[in-house]
Amino acid sequence: MVTINCWRGVPKITITKPIVSSLFSKRGSLVVTVAAASFSSMSYDKELAAARKAASLAARLCQKVQKALLQSDVQSKSDKSPVTVADYGSQALVSFVLERELPSESFSLVAEEDSGDLRKESGQETLQRITKLVNDTLASDGSFSVPTLTAEDVLRAIDCGKSEGGSHGRHWVLDPIDGTKGFLRGDQYAIALALLDEGKVVLGVLACPNLPLASIGGDSRHSSHDEVGCLFFAKVGAGTYMQSLDGSSPIKVHVSTTENPEEASFFESFEAAHSMHDLSSSIAKKLGVKAPPVRIDSQAKYGALSRGDGAIYLRFPHKGYREKIWDHAAGYIVVTEAGGVAADAAGNPLDFSKGRYLDLDTGIIVTNQKLMPSLLKAVRESLDEGTSSL
Ligand code: AMP
Ligand code: MG
């Protein structure tokens, strides 16, 4: 009989499954390791179900905040408070739901936010707003028979996200709102949740509340009647699926199979500060891409790529920027399980086992197996030419 968890406000949990080996982590929680686990033979079914539920609920919370933000005449769009409330609320909700749904597992979460500012006097009003939002969202789901969470419960749930990740054991990786700039503009953003097991991404969920269910590829037209709100999910060895956030039946998706760069459109960040548009333009030109870039925020780019809306994603941050694992882990498995390949600019695979940062050479490129060799060549040539300020 062992009591575990980061979340200490809920009833005590008992581990019932056989423990192969165990040890106590620095924070006093029990870490369970199963020897010689083979990723492809592990089902991760209940973890995936919990992740889908957590990300869908977090999306509901974020949608509510974004709607209020966009309808408000009073709230300036440059005011950061809505995104702050939604960011913390999403992280608290995901942390709480994962712990609740997976009570027999050790719980480690690598996430962007911590509760420092919310514990200050100046953060009290924001904390009350977050606590209400989290409780309202849980109540709207109906499947949680939990007492109302207190502000202290919410702070503790947020602080579960302080894990450093790494190459041992299991770690959840969360970006509670990826693409906050898009969120504030009323554009694309995503709730991105993945699970690392022994340093490998084994499942991922991307909730993209504003992404149309229909293609957003370069040549498609959208009307205001297009249905929006997609949930992508992937599990190692099992492919990638997409459903509407309203809960339609999932369909299996696949990346574009085009071998012809002239038919390929490419995605990049909307924000020029996040990725060098001049460099990606040079790469696309060398490769023979004709279509203009499709610029959208967040890991919605990985989701769109996984269903073949475009064929390439180019990301070249400005010098000195270090990529965080929560900005790519969920998108990475969504696109690779759909048949895509992701690498850094030198062609190295992405390594999520090094802690909170991705350790990589210059940038991130994603495409299908057939286009990758010529894309890498175009990247190398463009970098050698020094077309930008790298
Ligand atoms: P995107 O929406 O694809 O432009 O990416 C959004 C993510 O970019 C955010 O979640 C940030 O973590 C990350 N980000 C923030 N600043 C930078 C930067 N200077 N360069 C690259 N990425 C950044
Ligand atoms: Mg992010």
Side-chain angles (χ1 to χ4, degrees), residues 87 112 174-180 190 192 274 298-299 315 321 324 326-328:
D87 235 0
E112 196 163 8
L174 171 68
D175 195 339
I177 296 188
D178 182 39
T180 48
H274 292 177
S298 85
Q299 288 171 71
R315 184 180 190 86
Y321 182 76
K324 326 285 192 312
W326 54 77
D327 277 328
H328 299 281

Side-chain angles (χ1 to χ4, degrees), residues 255 305 332 335-336 339-343 365-370 372:
V255 294
L305 204 64
Y332 166 82
V335 84
T336 53
V341 204
I365 56 177
V366 192
T367 187
N368 63 30
Q369 312 259 359
K370 290 172 194 155
M372 190 48 113

Side-chain angles (χ1 to χ4, degrees), residues 50-244:
R52 286 168 66 186
K53 184 166 189 174
S56 304
L57 274 176
R60 200 180 291 178
L61 180 150
C62 294
Q63 279 171 298
K64 196 170 167 184
V65 179
Q66 197 188 45
K67 201 168 160 199
L69 163 73
L70 299 176
Q71 282 172 352
S72 163
D73 299 329
V74 188
Q75 192 110 53
S76 148
K77 286 202 185 151
S78 59
D79 177 358
K80 290 270 189 301
S81 68
V83 81
T84 305
V85 168
D87 235 0
Y88 285 121
S90 170
Q91 181 161 322
L93 201 51
V94 169
S95 172
F96 175 75
V97 172
L98 289 178
E99 261 252 287
R100 264 277 147 150
E101 296 286 300
L102 304 166
S104 63
E105 297 185 14
S106 67
F107 186 58
S108 164
L109 177 67
V110 184
E112 196 163 8
E113 309 299 341
D114 71 58
S115 76
D117 288 346
L118 295 177
R119 289 182 187 272
K120 294 178 188 155
E121 191 54 45
S122 56
Q124 291 317 294
E125 196 204 320
T126 309
L127 177 59
Q128 295 312 321
R129 282 169 69 195
I130 296 164
T131 307
K132 181 170 184 330
L133 255 176
V134 170
N135 279 318
D136 289 352
T137 312
L138 285 171
S140 74
D141 181 65
S143 70
F144 289 97
S145 53
V146 280
T148 305
L149 303 187
T150 63
E152 190 54 37
D153 294 334
V154 167
L155 292 172
R156 274 199 298 257
I158 291 168
D159 283 339
C160 279
K162 283 182 177 169
S163 168
E164 292 294 320
S167 57
H168 298 297
R170 288 186 178 188
H171 306 280
W172 289 96
V173 179
L174 171 68
D175 195 339
I177 296 188
D178 182 39
T180 48
K181 296 252 165 71
F183 179 84
L184 283 166
R185 260 190 265 108
D187 290 339
Q188 297 303 326
Y189 66 98
I191 293 88
L193 178 61
L195 179 63
L196 297 183
D197 196 350
E198 300 294 308
K200 302 275 183 238
V201 188
V202 294
L203 70 83
V205 178
L206 278 181
C208 307
N210 288 340
L211 188 68
L213 287 164
S215 171
I216 57 157
D219 53 359
S220 60
R221 301 274 174 272
H222 293 288
S223 78
S224 55
H225 302 298
D226 280 341
E227 200 185 332
V228 299
C230 302
L231 185 76
F232 296 89
F233 57 93
K235 204 176 65 162
V236 63
T240 299
Y241 291 80
M242 182 192 80
Q243 65 183 135
S244 82

Side-chain angles (χ1 to χ4, degrees), residues 287-311:
L287 191 61
V289 172
K290 296 268 180 275
V294 181
R295 292 181 175 150
I296 61 168
D297 304 280
S298 85
Q299 288 171 71
K301 291 186 275 297
Y302 283 104
L305 204 64
S306 77
R307 64 183 190 191
D309 290 8

Side-chain angles (χ1 to χ4, degrees), residues 15-23 30-39 41-44 46-47 104-106 167-171 196-199:
I15 291 183
T16 50
K17 68 181 183 187
I19 297 172
V20 175
S21 65
S22 65
L23 57 113
L30 183 75
V31 177
V32 179
T33 54
V34 180
S38 149
F39 305 116
S41 66
M42 307 277 273
S43 81
Y44 301 110
K46 58 182 181 4
E47 288 80 5
S104 63
E105 297 185 14
S106 67
S167 57
H168 298 297
R170 288 186 178 188
H171 306 280
L196 297 183
D197 196 350
E198 300 294 308

